[in-house]
Amino acid sequence: MSGNLVALHTIVRREIVRIMRIWTQTLIPPAITMTLYFVIFGKLIGSRIGTIQGGFTYMQYIVPGLAMMSIITNSYGNISSSFFGAKFQRSVEEMLVSPMSNWVILLGYVTGAVARGLVVGLLVLLIALGFTSLHIQHPFITLLSVLLGATIFSLAGFVNAIYAKKFDDIALVPTFVLTPLTYLGGVFYSVTMLGEPWQAISRVNPILYMVNAFRYGVLGISDVPVGVAFAVMLAFVVVLSWLALNLLHRGVGLRS
């Protein structure tokens, strides 16, 4: 057990050092991107929209969605690129033949990815305070929704990295799956504003539940029941964890 803890600490430390060593690539770009979102959508467009659900300004309304969007995209991107890099360099084979358990490998990489997501999310919220005022209504729900959302997409990025055969495969899912789901997940609007069948279609989007759980924690409003949102997120964590561990155990895409 002590050997596994040492291995876990080593992986997590390596991931965090990697994130901080290339901070100009891991932290600055999302901060700049979110600033542009706040200026264009929050200030320019938001000033013409006025108040939205719950009497909040449009800027206040989109802050939780943009923060969650940055958290999940950075968590996903961090682990998919890092673990695929380990595959590409063949260093993952050394981990597989070592005494460390599969759950240590998974937890180490996921922890590093979640850490990057949390740091980026905090940066986005700090930037948002330069544009509007925020008062977190439910701190525990806010933190839990961030942790679950980052964990879900860290696990999804891990699975993507396992199946990927070349670096181009890493970009396919964010481009054709993650981005559309994010923009259709209630980041910029309330799902109740949609007519049918689009509202029903939106409710099968897992990002909708992550965004609304986080929005409830920050603003106290949500388009979906918060209990349902957390049930959906926990289900995704369980299923993706099982899938990732199963793939590691079978060595899918890892042994050649």
Side-chain angles (χ1 to χ4, degrees):
M1 184 63 183
S2 60
N4 280 330
L5 292 178
V6 171
L8 177 61
H9 176 264
T10 302
I11 295 175
V12 173
R13 183 180 61 183
R14 184 189 63 192
E15 286 298 294
I16 293 177
V17 168
R18 170 183 171 272
I19 293 168
M20 300 310 297
R21 187 178 66 248
I22 55 173
W23 60 274
T24 55
Q25 301 175 41
T26 57
L27 302 180
I28 298 302
I32 294 174
T33 300
M34 289 302 112
T35 301
L36 293 174
Y37 274 119
F38 290 140
V39 171
I40 296 171
F41 287 93
K43 284 293 185 183
L44 299 182
I45 298 178
S47 61
R48 290 164 174 76
I49 293 177
T51 59
I52 198 169
Q53 183 184 8
F56 294 99
T57 65
Y58 187 66
M59 174 69 82
Q60 290 174 319
Y61 186 82
I62 66 173
V63 166
L66 289 173
M68 180 58 79
M69 182 174 75
S70 64
I71 289 167
I72 61 180
T73 53
N74 280 275
S75 297
Y76 187 99
N78 188 84
I79 196 168
S80 59
S81 61
S82 179
F83 190 74
F84 183 77
K87 279 179 55 179
F88 185 77
Q89 297 167 2
R90 302 290 186 183
S91 60
V92 70
E93 296 176 2
E94 298 175 2
M95 290 189 287
L96 291 175
V97 299
S98 71
M100 78 173 75
S101 303
N102 289 333
W103 67 265
V104 173
I105 300 174
L106 179 62
L107 182 59
Y109 277 95
V110 168
T111 302
V114 170
R116 175 177 167 183
L118 291 177
V119 172
V120 171
L122 181 60
L123 282 175
V124 172
L125 289 177
L126 290 175
I127 292 170
L129 292 176
F131 294 91
T132 187
S133 59
L134 290 174
H135 302 284
I136 296 178
Q137 302 297 317
H138 308 283
F140 177 74
I141 290 178
T142 301
L143 179 60
L144 185 58
S145 60
V146 166
L147 289 175
L148 287 175
T151 300
I152 289 169
F153 279 90
S154 296
L155 290 166
F158 190 87
V159 173
N160 181 203
I162 286 179
Y163 280 114
K165 291 182 171 59
K166 54 184 182 297
F167 279 102
D168 289 343
D169 295 338
I170 297 296
L172 287 177
V173 174
T175 302
F176 296 104
V177 178
L178 185 56
T179 299
L181 287 179
T182 300
Y183 282 100
L184 296 175
V187 172
F188 298 101
Y189 59 87
S190 169
V191 71
T192 58
M193 299 169 64
L194 298 176
E196 296 296 347
W198 299 109
Q199 187 172 148
I201 293 173
S202 294
R203 292 185 184 277
V204 301
N205 181 355
I207 294 181
L208 174 71
Y209 298 92
M210 301 174 199
V211 168
N212 275 278
F214 187 51
R215 183 172 285 137
Y216 180 81
V218 176
L219 302 179
I221 58 174
S222 175
D223 293 333
V224 298
V226 178
V228 174
F230 278 104
V232 170
M233 289 191 286
L234 286 171
F236 269 94
V237 169
V238 171
V239 171
L240 288 172
S241 296
W242 173 85
L243 176 60
L245 287 172
N246 183 263
L247 293 172
L248 276 176
H249 177 71
R250 291 162 50 198
V252 175
L254 303 176
R255 297 189 176 98
S256 58

